Amino acid sequence: MALDRSDVEGIAHLARIAINEQDIENTTATLKDILHMVDQMQAVNTDNIEPLAHPLELVQRLRTDEVTETNQRDHFQQLAPQTENGLYLVPKVIE
C-alpha cells in the first residue's frame, strides 16, 4: 500500500497524535514497513490450516474443584456493625 506524508499527517490527526515535522518521514517509512509485512502475511496460503487459540500449544494443569475452606460467614459477620439473614446491611447510597 502506498503511503505518503499527507496520509501519515491525516492518520496522526484522526488518532490525535502529535508528530514532529522531523519525525514524519521516519514514521512514514515505519508505517510502510508495517503495511508491507501485513501484505506478506496475507499472501501466505492458509488453506487447511486450523487457527490456534494461542501461539504456544500448551496444556494448562487444572486442579480438582473441591472445597478447601470451611464456611466462616457467621464468624466474619460478628465483626460487621449490622447484618440480617446472613447479609451485610449498609447505608443506602443510591436514591
Side-chain angles (χ1 to χ4, degrees):
M1 176 179 184
L3 206 65
D4 61 9
R5 180 185 181 97
S6 64
D7 292 330
V8 173
E9 289 172 347
I11 292 168
H13 174 73
L14 290 173
R16 303 296 190 254
I17 298 173
I19 300 178
N20 296 332
E21 289 294 322
Q22 300 85 6
D23 295 335
I24 290 179
E25 294 303 320
N26 188 27
T27 303
T28 302
T30 303
L31 287 175
K32 281 183 183 179
D33 291 343
I34 291 170
L35 292 175
H36 178 69
M37 183 182 66
V38 169
D39 287 339
Q40 286 179 329
M41 290 170 53
Q42 288 179 338
V44 174
N45 182 4
T46 57
D47 295 340
N48 301 320
I49 303 292
E50 189 174 334
L52 296 174
H54 192 276
L56 303 175
E57 294 192 37
L58 302 174
V59 177
Q60 185 174 1
R61 293 176 288 162
L62 300 176
R63 62 175 173 78
T64 56
D65 189 15
E66 347 179 295
V67 176
T68 58
E69 296 183 16
T70 59
N71 183 0
Q72 298 181 27
R73 182 184 67 184
D74 295 332
H75 170 72
F76 291 130
Q77 287 192 342
Q78 288 175 356
L79 306 172
Q82 294 182 342
T83 61
E84 182 179 300
N85 297 328
L87 303 173
Y88 294 95
L89 300 178
V90 297
K92 185 176 181 178
V93 293
I94 299 176
E95 303 264 343

